[in-house]
Amino acid sequence: MNKNITIAIDGPAGAGKSTVAKKIAEILSFEYIDTGAMYRALTFKVLNLGLDPKSVDDVIDTMKSTSIDFRNNHIYLDNVQIDREIRENIINQNVSYVAKIKEVREGMVKIQRELAKTKSVVMDGRDIATVVFPNADFKFFITASVEERANRRYKELIEKGEKDISYENIKKEIESRDKIDSTREIAPLVESKDAYRLDTTDKTIDECVEEIISIVSSGR
Ligand code: DC
């Protein structure tokens, strides 16, 4: 059987989605598509042009002349690889404004569906099981407590050498991002009713990966 398989993974910021999704894709030899990276890439471009991410018209205009692409698990913005740049805290602070714009979401969803047409994918984001692939073969909702997510993000940024950060601020930023992501009008972050819920607060990455692989392998 040669059917392409789609695994949809949603959940809030810092729940461990991308780490888990990447490992699953590797084990299954599927392509990993990080949809958050796409919204981040556009945010990066808007900021780089000196524009305001809250200006809907400017963001839509920028999107019209932008190409976003994945090649060999790297993200390309206008044909330039920008994996590292999109992880900076300035992007964390602004990406939700860009991601709530209707026209931006429509454009991104179109690219995401194209990417899964010809291959099996593990795609992670906020609206993958609800909007992008409501008929995905497998749906997971990965979450963790806000404290644990803030803790992980804080450590990640410290390891990267970011200086002007505090745990309390990171926690506030995560709470604010959760709020914008889950209350926005279009494709808010919601737990799909038919998704398998995985709380990673007290679990290791490997335990989460094992749980998902066992579900996918047994075809449940
Ligand atoms: O997963 P992440 O932190 O890289 O996501 C960055 C932002 O993009 C996050 O604030 C929510 C948004 N996002 C979205 O709205 N829809 C997606 N499918 C993926 C991410």
Side-chain angles (χ1 to χ4, degrees):
M1 195 178 67
N2 280 328
K3 181 185 174 294
N4 287 324
I5 304 287
T6 303
I7 300 179
I9 301 184
D10 293 303
K17 291 187 307 291
S18 56
T19 314
V20 169
K22 225 180 273 174
K23 290 207 172 199
I24 290 164
E26 216 176 284
I27 293 169
L28 299 172
S29 299
F30 287 11
E31 182 101 6
Y32 166 55
I33 305 202
D34 174 356
T35 63
M38 299 168 72
Y39 294 96
R40 285 171 178 271
L42 181 59
T43 307
F44 173 79
K45 181 160 175 180
V46 167
L47 290 170
N48 243 18
L49 290 171
L51 302 170
D52 180 359
K54 290 183 191 151
S55 161
V56 174
D57 288 342
D58 283 351
V59 175
I60 294 173
D61 267 355
T62 308
M63 169 120 177
K64 284 182 188 150
S65 56
T66 297
S67 85
I68 292 175
D69 202 7
F70 282 95
R71 270 172 262 150
N72 302 322
N73 290 328
H74 296 292
I75 183 149
Y76 288 81
L77 170 73
D78 299 327
N79 286 318
V80 178
Q81 192 192 301
I82 46 149
D83 297 311
R84 197 172 39 81
E85 292 82 345
I86 59 166
R87 300 292 155 198
E88 282 171 19
N89 210 30
I90 179 91
I91 308 292
N92 294 341
Q93 288 158 350
N94 287 285
V95 63
S96 281
Y97 302 112
V98 169
K100 69 178 188 179
I101 301 171
K102 178 170 161 269
E103 288 80 356
V104 167
R105 303 206 66 85
E106 285 169 355
M108 296 298 186
V109 169
K110 209 166 146 199
I111 303 173
Q112 290 153 12
R113 289 185 179 146
E114 275 304 312
L115 286 167
K117 260 190 186 158
T118 52
K119 50 197 164 205
S120 291
V121 298
V122 179
M123 194 175 281
D124 78 8
R126 304 291 188 286
D127 59 342
I128 311 304
T130 50
V131 175
V132 187
F133 296 115
N135 296 320
D137 300 281
F138 298 95
K139 297 180 176 182
F140 296 93
F141 191 85
I142 298 191
T143 188
S145 70
V146 109
E147 291 73 19
E148 176 64 18
R149 291 188 285 128
N151 205 12
R152 290 176 191 166
R153 201 61 118 193
Y154 177 73
K155 278 193 196 150
E156 189 185 312
L157 291 169
I158 290 285
E159 272 163 27
K160 266 190 219 147
E162 292 233 11
K163 301 236 158 27
D164 290 333
I165 52 167
S166 74
Y167 169 81
E168 276 313 316
N169 280 346
I170 298 286
K171 185 164 167 256
K172 274 193 204 124
E173 279 166 24
I174 287 203
E175 281 167 338
S176 145
R177 210 133 70 86
D178 280 356
K179 185 149 186 253
I180 305 178
D181 291 344
S182 46
T183 57
R184 70 180 171 221
E185 228 169 283
I186 307 135
L189 169 68
V190 281
E191 196 167 338
S192 179
K193 281 193 207 84
D194 52 357
Y196 181 93
R197 183 176 221 267
L198 198 63
D199 188 325
T200 70
T201 309
D202 299 312
K203 282 188 177 147
T204 65
I205 297 292
D206 286 342
E207 284 169 338
C208 301
V209 170
E210 262 173 43
E211 206 166 324
I212 293 183
I213 291 289
S214 100
I215 289 170
V216 172
S217 316
S218 65
R220 262 188 282 158

